[in-house]
Amino acid sequence: MSRLLTVEGLRTVFPTDHGEVTAVNDVNFTLDRGETIGIVGESGSGKSVTSLSIMRLITAPGKIAGGSVTFHKSSGEKTELTSLNASDIRRYRGKEIAMIFQEPMTSLNPVLTCGFQVAEALRLHLGLSKKAAKARTIELFEQVKLPRAAQLYDAYPHEISGGQKQRVMIAMAISCDPSILIADEPTTALDVTVQKTILELLKTIQRERDMGMLFITHDLGVIAEIADKVVVMYKGKAVEQGSVREVFSNPKHPYTKSLLACRPPLDKRLRQLPVVSDFMRENSDGTFTALEKEVGATVNDYVITGEERKQHLTEIYRQSPILQVRNIKTWFPVKRGLFGRVHDHVKAVDDVTFDVFPGETLGLVGESGCGKTTLGRTIIRLIEPTSGEVIFKGKNFAELHGSALRAMRKHIQIIFQDPYSSLNPRMTIGNAIMEPMQVHRLHANNSVRKEKVVELLRKVSLKSEHFDRYPHEFSGGQRQRICIARALALEPQFIICDESVSALDVSVQAQVLNLLNELKRELGLTYIFISHDLSVVKFMSDNMIVMNKGCIEEMGDPDEIYASPKSEYTKRLIAAIPAGL
């Protein structure tokens, strides 16, 4: 293999009002042609800043403060990228080193068609004519397996799915036949089936073009699927690196051990997930103390025996259901013509029936568009059902209106998928949590309500001083805890968790899942847990529903469904889960 990239002693800093923050600190690695290096770590570990430093996309006042990034040409000539001026680096960016950014919707210009944006890169770097650039773009769309490639050339980003937008980004990245492809979290929050397709596509493109690839993710399962070597980053430093097999089978650093342990296993059922603090203790001076624990032994400490699970399920199912969903349909009309006549319906939820019992967690799983989120919102009448019944504690939700509906909603709350967009950016998180108490006139006055909010913040492992801070001042995991506290503000009996951990790092995800289970036991809660991640649903659920095209594909005990899925759709979902090593 010939060398493509050498990173030595890379250091990137950002000055702040409180002093200089070192985002990347003395990072070293090499990348060869045809090789994939996985860079893994939590949000804030420095993995994305490392890739942006290589691309020289660090914006002022941030800067590369030390080290070198050397690009090796096939001729044997070397170029030190950190020393190039702005115009010279543009000749390498996109043409020699291309990047797939994390969020395709924000990376694509919403007012330009997908085809135009890819063709623009071809015309800029390769000097193609408008006609030739369009023809080449359609070829690229076909290469990345986009359906109706010619029609999608004229489609806008909002008109295509998340997986299709990611393919457009891949087409743009490979358009100039780069030597190195940097993929920054290209599969985060995608369905497992879409994720598998994207990973297979990237591997195929890499083999065909003999590219080197840097694949950045927080998911070690994905790294095991695609990478040859892995670099584990923690607080700006590369704390461990080596071949994937070597690092996964014999991790040395406690942080690597924690990342491997906190992913929900498919072969056993755990009481709680291991977290970073099981393997290392962070000290006040920024250092850490390693706790001498091994991954397998720590995971086994939390295993639930078959007898324990049987007893737990017996206690749940000897009760009467708290929620009964009967023949629910939620259809959306498709209108055409000048007068908007209805000529068809999108059957988002189509004749769904099930029961949920007190203290149970019902898992609802399926790909995007299967109807699981629409079903969750229909249950609490955020979306009006077309027909059917939702009976909560003997009362039919569909027959309630006005104050009676508001009073019933107090008992059923929802935690939305995106915590940032579900919090008002202009409202402190204390007031956001207090607001539902005020609307429902819960507690005597605002002074008592504030005490309750502080109590809730502590319950979700936040602090009383967080009361007066705004959503943007918190991390993704902390914002999700705020949304959980807000859902608990009205002391509900039932909570619908809608993709509430889908975009979180695996270590933060483990903390939030443990918190949800802890609150369930402490407060006697019942959950519907909606997710596209089957391993997470299996960990959380007592019972599971697999949805496809608005209907129930399969329903039953999660362990039995995973061990022996009956439908082809369920088999395909399970087969798409990254297997690891």
Side-chain angles (χ1 to χ4, degrees):
M1 288 189 200
S2 59
R3 184 64 37 89
L4 279 175
L5 191 73
T6 302
V7 177
E8 291 182 313
L10 183 63
R11 185 168 174 268
T12 305
V13 300
F14 292 89
T16 70
D17 294 339
H18 306 291
E20 195 173 72
V21 173
T22 304
V24 176
N25 191 0
D26 193 27
V27 168
N28 302 274
F29 62 85
T30 59
L31 175 69
D32 293 336
R33 188 171 291 280
E35 181 179 55
T36 299
I37 294 180
I39 302 180
V40 70
E42 297 171 287
S43 295
S45 64
K47 56 189 190 297
S48 290
V49 178
T50 298
S51 67
L52 293 172
S53 300
I54 291 167
M55 293 284 287
R56 289 281 304 281
L57 289 173
I58 301 296
T59 53
K63 62 180 181 179
I64 297 172
S68 63
V69 178
T70 306
F71 177 73
H72 301 257
K73 296 182 180 177
S74 53
S75 62
E77 185 185 342
K78 299 177 184 178
T79 303
E80 174 47 53
L81 299 181
T82 58
S83 63
L84 297 180
N85 60 35
S87 60
D88 287 340
I89 191 64
R90 276 198 292 270
R91 294 207 301 270
Y92 288 86
R93 208 185 281 147
K95 192 171 188 307
E96 296 289 358
I97 307 175
M99 189 165 182
I100 304 167
F101 292 96
Q102 183 169 355
E103 178 45 69
M105 192 65 216
T106 56
S107 303
L108 292 169
N109 190 326
V111 300
L112 299 176
T113 64
C114 296
F116 178 87
Q117 294 183 63
V118 178
E120 184 181 36
L122 289 165
R123 295 176 68 189
L124 177 68
H125 287 291
L126 303 183
L128 298 185
S129 67
K130 189 174 180 181
K131 185 178 179 181
K134 180 175 180 177
R136 177 64 181 140
T137 298
I138 292 171
E139 281 178 26
L140 287 164
F141 280 1
E142 288 169 348
Q143 191 176 348
V144 298
K145 308 288 193 299
L146 274 168
R148 308 181 317 281
Q151 291 93 316
L152 279 182
Y153 184 93
D154 296 314
Y156 288 90
H158 72 274
E159 296 178 297
I160 60 178
S161 71
Q164 289 173 335
K165 281 193 279 280
Q166 198 60 281
R167 289 164 189 264
V168 171
M169 289 296 298
I170 293 169
M172 190 185 297
I174 65 171
S175 61
C176 299
D177 200 16
S179 300
I180 299 171
L181 180 64
I182 301 174
D184 186 5
E185 299 272 13
T187 60
T188 298
L190 293 180
D191 299 328
V192 284
T193 49
V194 179
Q195 173 181 272
K196 184 177 182 181
T197 308
I198 295 293
L199 293 177
E200 288 174 349
L201 174 63
L202 286 170
K203 284 193 283 188
T204 302
I205 290 169
Q206 183 192 28
R207 278 195 304 270
E208 290 173 352
R209 296 169 177 245
D210 200 24
M211 294 186 300
M213 183 157 64
L214 292 179
F215 193 96
I216 297 164
T217 183
H218 61 255
D219 191 335
L220 282 162
V222 171
I223 290 291
E225 289 278 307
I226 199 167
D228 303 302
K229 294 194 305 194
V230 61
V231 176
V232 181
M233 293 195 67
Y234 173 68
K235 292 192 173 178
K237 294 184 177 181
V239 294
E240 187 163 1
Q241 58 181 293
S243 74
V244 169
R245 185 166 294 280
E246 176 192 324
V247 171
F248 278 41
S249 59
N250 188 24
K252 302 285 193 301
H253 197 277
Y255 181 67
T256 311
K257 292 178 183 179
S258 70
L259 289 181
L260 287 166
C262 63
R263 180 79 179 152
L266 291 173
D267 59 341
K268 49 179 74 79
R269 185 170 280 273
L270 303 185
R271 189 173 295 103
Q272 68 181 68
L273 293 170
V275 294
V276 174
S277 59
D278 285 321
F279 296 89
M280 56 191 283
R281 185 173 61 249
E282 295 189 17
N283 303 320
S284 56
D285 60 357
T287 61
F288 67 89
T289 302
L291 304 176
E292 296 303 320
K293 289 191 174 184
E294 295 306 316
V295 175
T298 305
V299 169
N300 289 334
D301 287 344
Y302 299 131
V303 170
I304 297 174
T305 65
E307 190 56 42
E308 287 174 322
R309 176 158 165 72
K310 185 180 177 182
Q311 186 179 341
H312 169 70
L313 295 178
T314 301
E315 288 173 7
I316 287 175
Y317 296 127
R318 67 184 174 199
Q319 306 170 89
S320 300
I322 188 173
L323 181 79
Q324 296 169 287
V325 175
R326 294 287 176 267
N327 307 109
I328 276 290
K329 294 181 180 179
T330 307
W331 294 6
F332 298 105
V334 178
K335 298 179 181 180
R336 279 188 187 166
L338 182 63
F339 299 103
R341 289 193 179 94
V342 176
H343 82 102
D344 201 356
H345 288 86
V346 174
K347 298 177 181 180
V349 178
D350 195 19
D351 198 23
V352 168
T353 296
F354 61 87
D355 293 333
V356 186
F357 294 81
E360 180 184 28
T361 297
L362 174 70
L364 206 54
V365 73
E367 297 172 288
S368 294
C370 71
K372 57 189 187 295
T373 291
T374 303
L375 176 58
R377 296 185 180 205
T378 301
I379 287 169
I380 57 174
R381 294 268 302 278
L382 290 178
I383 298 174
E384 290 295 330
T386 305
S387 64
E389 294 181 325
V390 177
I391 300 163
F392 180 73
K393 300 189 76 174
K395 291 186 179 178
N396 189 353
F397 245 79
E399 296 174 351
L400 300 177
H401 301 280
S403 59
L405 178 60
R406 279 195 300 275
M408 185 60 79
R409 276 194 180 139
K410 190 171 80 169
H411 302 294
I412 302 186
Q413 291 292 298
I414 186 166
I415 302 168
F416 293 101
Q417 181 170 356
D418 183 354
Y420 193 73
S421 61
S422 57
L423 292 168
N424 187 333
R426 298 180 180 179
M427 186 181 284
T428 66
I429 62 108
N431 287 325
I433 296 168
M434 191 192 295
E435 185 183 39
M437 297 179 185
Q438 294 168 327
V439 169
H440 288 271
R441 296 176 184 174
L442 203 64
H443 310 302
N445 52 51
N446 279 347
S447 179
V448 177
R449 290 175 189 132
K450 184 171 181 177
E451 288 177 14
K452 291 288 182 182
V453 171
V454 169
E455 188 180 312
L456 284 170
L457 287 173
R458 288 179 179 147
K459 198 178 285 292
V460 297
S461 303
L462 294 172
K463 298 175 183 176
S464 57
E465 52 262 37
H466 289 149
F467 186 98
D468 294 314
R469 293 188 190 176
Y470 290 87
H472 73 272
E473 298 180 83
F474 295 90
S475 69
Q478 287 174 320
R479 281 196 288 266
Q480 197 59 276
R481 290 169 186 271
I482 292 162
C483 289
I484 292 170
R486 194 171 195 263
L488 294 172
L490 296 177
E491 299 171 4
Q493 297 162 294
F494 198 109
I495 296 179
I496 298 171
C497 306
D498 184 10
E499 296 277 13
S500 50
V501 295
S502 64
L504 298 179
D505 297 327
V506 283
S507 54
V508 179
Q509 175 182 276
Q511 293 170 24
V512 172
L513 293 176
N514 287 343
L515 172 64
L516 286 169
N517 278 336
E518 198 179 300
L519 292 169
K520 177 185 166 184
R521 288 190 293 268
E522 184 183 335
L523 303 175
L525 298 172
T526 303
Y527 293 143
I528 289 180
F529 191 89
I530 300 169
S531 179
H532 64 258
D533 189 329
L534 281 85
S535 58
V536 168
V537 171
K538 182 178 182 294
F539 167 71
M540 289 294 291
S541 304
D542 301 302
N543 193 22
M544 185 169 86
I545 291 175
V546 181
M547 284 192 72
N548 182 26
K549 295 179 181 176
C551 301
I552 293 178
E553 188 81 23
E554 200 163 341
M555 178 164 58
D557 185 286
D559 294 356
E560 292 176 10
I561 288 176
Y562 276 78
S564 182
K566 292 181 175 58
S567 81
E568 288 303 315
Y569 177 76
T570 309
K571 289 176 185 176
R572 186 156 51 85
L573 283 182
I574 293 170
I577 301 170
L581 290 177

